[in-house]
Amino acid sequence: MGCRDVHAATVLAFLSGTASVAGLLAAVLLPNWRQMRLYTFNKNERNVTVYTGLWIKCARFDGSRDCVIYDPQWYTAVDQLDLRVLQFALPLSMFTAVSALFLCLIGMCNTAFVSTVPNIKLAKCLVNSAGCHLVAGLLFLLACAICLTPSVWVIFYNNYLNRKYEPVFSFDISVFIAIASAGGLFFTSVLLFLWYCACKSLPSPFWQPLYSHAPSMHSYASQPYSARSRLSAIEIDIPVVTHAS
């Protein structure tokens, strides 16, 4: 595995993480977390479906795409606990995933543009590619857990509502999008962990999460002046001056 170059695994992880964040954004904005079907026995009227999102609510007649009732202030009056939890969990998951993407991008840029022999004086301040990707993988895994847990809870809470009231509730497409996005975040973290596990066996200290102390990096530096001077003193030919008779 080309650990000293930008590898396909890290590029694929970055693209997968970006797609997962886009999926989370779609799940947050779409008003399709829960449907409530309202049936009528009047043949002159049509059934109504209420689409519930995290921020808005929309009621439509069957066969119509226009909202009969549109409530843009729904987010302030959410009376369903699972949706209220998702209002906090999904933005937090998105923020965590975006932070991981930023770290992943820093790691790739560091691999591509930074010299493999850093300045010893700046060793403690340099950004490490392996450290960036390792922390990014942990953040992706955390974002997956934050997103997946409340998204799966929606399915069980939907069954609870059907038992408590009437079987008119069903979860909608946003649940599947959120779960798929969580799977993408998990896949991204696995890719980064595999990359790190394949690269940490290298003898160079630059593939450790943090750089070692400066004394361990002397192998990359030239010898001290005192050592060079002692060696050069041995190798210098000393001319011998003889006095002419």
Side-chain angles (χ1 to χ4, degrees):
M1 187 176 273
C3 300
R4 297 185 185 276
D5 301 316
V6 177
H7 194 265
T10 56
V11 176
L12 181 59
F14 182 80
L15 295 177
S16 175
T18 303
S20 301
V21 171
L24 284 179
L25 180 62
V28 168
L29 297 180
L30 286 175
N32 297 99
W33 279 93
R34 175 167 290 127
Q35 292 183 13
M36 183 173 62
R37 293 276 295 174
L38 302 178
Y39 298 94
T40 178
F41 297 99
N42 190 342
K43 296 182 180 181
N44 298 324
E45 297 180 357
R46 290 180 293 176
N47 297 330
V48 176
T49 302
V50 180
Y51 296 88
T52 304
L54 301 183
W55 317 105
I56 60 175
K57 178 186 285 189
C58 173
R60 299 174 182 171
F61 288 116
D62 287 357
S64 175
R65 295 186 177 181
D66 298 327
C67 294
V68 180
I69 301 176
Y70 181 80
D71 186 7
Q73 303 296 325
W74 163 248
Y75 66 94
T76 62
V78 174
D79 56 352
Q80 300 169 16
L81 183 59
D82 57 341
L83 299 184
R84 179 66 75 183
V85 172
L86 282 166
Q87 285 182 337
F88 295 95
L90 288 191
L92 179 60
S93 177
M94 288 178 57
F95 176 77
T96 306
V98 169
S99 301
L101 280 176
F102 184 67
L103 277 177
C104 188
L105 184 61
I106 290 178
M108 288 192 298
C109 292
N110 181 72
T111 303
F113 302 113
V114 177
S115 173
T116 57
V117 182
N119 188 347
I120 295 179
K121 296 181 180 179
L122 301 178
K124 295 182 179 180
C125 304
L126 290 177
V127 176
N128 182 296
S129 296
C132 286
H133 288 88
L134 182 61
V135 175
L138 293 174
L139 289 178
F140 277 124
L141 192 62
L142 178 61
C144 170
I146 296 174
C147 169
L148 184 62
T149 304
S151 298
V152 172
W153 185 34
V154 172
I155 301 175
F156 295 97
Y157 197 82
N158 189 78
N159 297 331
Y160 165 76
L161 291 176
N162 286 328
R163 291 193 305 267
K164 184 177 181 180
Y165 300 104
E166 294 182 4
V168 295
F169 297 95
S170 61
F171 49 88
D172 208 348
I173 189 173
S174 292
V175 177
F176 300 103
I177 295 177
I179 294 177
S181 299
L185 294 173
F186 180 77
F187 174 71
T188 304
S189 66
V190 169
L191 280 178
L192 293 176
F193 290 151
L194 288 177
W195 179 89
Y196 176 75
C197 290
C199 294
K200 74 175 183 178
S201 60
L202 292 179
S204 172
F206 303 125
W207 303 108
Q208 299 173 1
L210 295 175
Y211 281 121
S212 302
H213 297 291
S216 65
M217 302 175 62
H218 282 169
S219 59
Y220 292 92
S222 58
Q223 296 181 352
Y225 176 78
S226 58
R228 293 202 312 272
S229 61
R230 287 195 297 268
L231 291 175
S232 59
I234 298 174
E235 296 172 357
I236 293 177
D237 294 331
I238 301 176
V240 178
V241 180
T242 58
H243 300 279
S245 56

